[in-house]
Amino acid sequence: MTLAEKAYDALRHDIIRGELAPGRPLRLSDLSERYDMGFSPLREALNRLQAERLVTAESLRGFRVAPLSLDELHDAVNVRIKVECDALRASIELGDDNWAAGIVSALYALNLQVGRTGPDADIWALEARHYAFHRALLAACNSPWTLEFFERLYAATERYRIPTLLAATHPAGRDVQAEHSALAEATLARDADKAMALLEGHYRKTENYLTSVFGMDKPNGLAAAG
Amino acid sequence: MTLAEKAYDALRHDIIRGELAPGRPLRLSDLSERYDMGFSPLREALNRLQAERLVTAESLRGFRVAPLSLDELHDAVNVRIKVECDALRASIELGDDNWAAGIVSALYALNLQVGRTGPDADIWALEARHYAFHRALLAACNSPWTLEFFERLYAATERYRIPTLLAATHPAGRDVQAEHSALAEATLARDADKAMALLEGHYRKTENYLTSVFGMDKPNGLAAAG
DNA sequence: GCAATAATTATTTTCGAAAATCTTTGGAAT
DNA sequence: ATTCCAAAGATTTTCGAAAATAATTATTGC
């Protein structure tokens, strides 16, 4: 793996997890020290991330972590619902036993991790399995473009969820595990309309929760979140 | 404008227009001579284009122009129809007079260019206005993510159209101008269902035409197209 | 004191060479 | 003839310094 690839992975990781706060300037000299490499691989990584909208760039003025805003969260969630519902319908139509088995397996692994508390709790392992579950639902859609957009939107919305995950502020009266199970059940039963409705509801609930958290905490948007 | 930005524009331009053929290796020394700059700005541009799927990269083996395939064309057209139909419906719902005026203006400019033949014909000006027209239809959708995906898919499908545009092989019995007019009319009349149907039909016709052209010419896919 | 301007510093951007890696070529052994 | 290995060449990747630009500080003139 080249240094540029390592830089891309590390920067993406740190931006999505909020270790590099939204809006923060990404100075080459700082990054060079932080990641222990020269300017070239860092600039290459930053250019890739710019194309993915995780960093912004201004000519001759360097790079910044892309800012967050409630408007963007709302947009990302809405587009995500459209993209993922289409993909889910296609997957349900096209998916074979292997696809179904992948969903069962991903849900099982996710639930195992949800059940772990105390010293076994690992928020990042949980996040990885949450991603893997949602990815597994769409895996059979047979559309590389759709899957790419899913990845992009997942990363974009993930940035809003991380601060609340870290704060362990869980939404009251919500059983996310039950939502996942119902979603998997409807999908495996090939009930596309029901599965799509559950998927949309799942995301709307998360959006509402995040909106309320950020809307209360930061009256002036999310510029300093993370 | 920095050299890296110029490199990005020039490479994107040349890839989309097929001047750099699909699959062609993009060697730094060649590009350095072609665009008259050092490796650094070129590598930055290539990394951005990689994120946009216009070039492929393999670790320590450099970059290539992303290949074309009928499968990818089909996928891109399908996703494009979904994305643009959603955006069109939203635009029709949200668009104001300014949006409507933009459509009228873009259609007028497009038709002017369509009418130009002989020495006044300019395929690239035509292409720019075709893009501007379709972009104008969606301009009021109020969704940056949707518009970004539109741009990505437009670029992706554009690469398939260019060779046929250059060859001036026009589909028999198709009045594209009338399709655009009908689409604009339904949109301005706020008839979302009709406009979406026309938009889908517009793209399906193009897809069918391109599929037939490439399918006949190149039995083994599109590896050498452009 | 304050605005405008010059000098300084900080930062980005670019280059050219060095290092690392891959590919090709040529030769030796089987 | 074929396979294996080493040497040579080509190419990518990375670094460190130079150039260009932006931001900051100091200075001048009023």
Side-chain angles (χ1 to χ4, degrees):
Chain A
M1 192 184 243
T2 64
L3 284 179
E5 287 164 333
K6 281 182 198 149
Y8 171 81
D9 287 346
L11 277 165
R12 186 174 192 276
H13 180 276
D14 291 350
I15 289 169
I16 290 174
R17 295 195 180 183
E19 284 161 37
L20 295 169
R24 165 170 167 170
L26 297 167
R27 291 214 183 73
L28 275 302
S29 50
D30 295 350
L31 298 179
S32 180
E33 192 182 359
R34 180 184 179 108
Y35 299 112
D36 189 31
M37 57 181 73
F39 289 0
S40 308
L42 288 168
R43 287 186 62 87
E44 291 186 20
L46 289 166
N47 274 287
R48 286 178 64 182
L49 293 164
Q50 178 196 5
E52 292 180 23
R53 289 231 198 305
L54 286 173
V55 318
T56 62
E58 221 177 333
S59 204
L60 294 174
R61 257 177 250 191
F63 301 88
R64 295 173 165 273
V65 180
L68 301 182
S69 78
L70 286 176
D71 278 354
E72 202 232 335
L73 170 62
H74 187 65
D75 183 30
V77 169
N78 281 336
V79 178
R80 208 180 145 180
I81 287 168
K82 289 243 162 73
V83 168
E84 289 198 37
C85 280
D86 285 342
L88 184 57
R89 194 213 304 277
S91 264
I92 286 172
E93 199 175 317
L94 301 170
D96 57 8
D97 289 353
N98 205 45
W99 163 73
I103 294 172
V104 171
S105 152
L107 179 63
Y108 179 76
L110 173 58
N111 282 338
L112 274 186
Q113 197 66 40
V114 169
R116 291 191 180 126
T117 54
D120 272 0
D122 182 341
I123 199 173
W124 304 123
L126 184 61
E127 252 323 293
R129 292 181 181 192
H130 185 255
Y131 167 81
F133 172 67
H134 281 284
R135 179 69 172 68
L137 291 172
L138 315 181
C141 76
N142 195 33
S143 168
W145 278 107
T146 300
L147 290 175
E148 160 155 359
F149 293 159
F150 161 72
E151 309 254 353
R152 292 277 306 277
L153 293 166
Y154 193 96
T157 52
E158 187 75 340
R159 298 180 67 204
Y160 295 86
R161 282 182 60 219
I162 295 295
T164 71
L165 290 177
L166 287 173
T169 59
H170 290 300
R174 187 174 171 203
D175 187 345
V176 178
Q177 214 169 345
E179 290 175 32
H180 287 144
S181 296
L183 178 52
E185 196 180 337
T187 300
L188 294 173
R190 313 264 171 175
D191 187 341
D193 289 338
K194 184 172 181 185
M196 285 162 63
L198 289 170
L199 187 61
E200 169 158 10
H202 184 61
Y203 289 144
R204 289 264 177 250
K205 277 177 198 148
T206 301
E207 183 197 7
N208 288 337
Y209 171 60
L210 292 179
T211 301
S212 73
V213 170
F214 286 122
M216 281 194 273
D217 275 30
K218 324 258 177 182
N220 192 24
L222 302 169
Chain B
M1 192 184 243
T2 64
L3 283 178
E5 287 164 335
K6 281 183 198 148
Y8 171 81
D9 287 346
L11 277 165
R12 185 173 193 275
H13 180 276
D14 290 351
I15 290 169
I16 289 174
R17 295 195 179 183
E19 284 161 37
L20 295 168
R24 166 169 166 171
L26 295 167
R27 293 214 182 73
L28 274 303
S29 49
D30 295 349
L31 299 179
S32 179
E33 191 182 359
R34 180 185 178 108
Y35 298 112
D36 189 32
M37 58 182 72
F39 289 0
S40 308
L42 288 168
R43 285 185 64 86
E44 291 185 19
L46 289 166
N47 274 287
R48 287 177 64 182
L49 292 165
Q50 178 196 5
E52 293 180 23
R53 291 233 198 301
L54 285 173
V55 320
T56 62
E58 221 177 334
S59 207
L60 294 174
R61 260 177 246 190
F63 302 87
R64 293 174 167 272
V65 179
L68 301 181
S69 77
L70 286 177
D71 278 354
E72 200 232 335
L73 171 62
H74 187 64
D75 182 30
V77 170
N78 281 337
V79 178
R80 210 181 144 179
I81 287 168
K82 290 245 162 72
V83 167
E84 289 198 36
C85 280
D86 286 341
L88 184 57
R89 194 213 303 279
S91 265
I92 286 173
E93 199 175 318
L94 301 170
D96 57 6
D97 289 352
N98 204 46
W99 164 73
I103 295 172
V104 172
S105 151
L107 179 64
Y108 179 76
L110 173 58
N111 282 339
L112 274 187
Q113 197 66 42
V114 169
R116 289 191 181 127
T117 55
D120 273 0
D122 181 342
I123 199 172
W124 304 123
L126 184 62
E127 252 324 290
R129 292 182 180 191
H130 186 254
Y131 167 81
F133 171 67
H134 281 285
R135 179 70 173 66
L137 290 172
L138 316 181
C141 76
N142 194 31
S143 169
W145 278 107
T146 300
L147 290 176
E148 160 155 0
F149 293 160
F150 161 72
E151 310 254 352
R152 294 276 307 274
L153 293 166
Y154 193 96
T157 52
E158 186 76 340
R159 299 179 66 204
Y160 295 86
R161 282 182 60 219
I162 296 293
T164 71
L165 291 177
L166 288 173
T169 59
H170 292 299
R174 189 175 170 202
D175 186 344
V176 178
Q177 213 169 345
E179 289 176 31
H180 286 144
S181 296
L183 178 52
E185 196 179 338
T187 300
L188 295 172
R190 314 266 170 172
D191 187 342
D193 289 338
K194 184 172 181 187
M196 286 162 62
L198 289 170
L199 187 62
E200 170 158 10
H202 183 62
Y203 290 144
R204 289 266 176 249
K205 278 178 198 147
T206 300
E207 183 197 8
N208 287 338
Y209 172 60
L210 293 179
T211 302
S212 73
V213 170
F214 286 123
M216 279 195 272
D217 275 30
K218 325 259 176 183
N220 193 23
L222 302 170

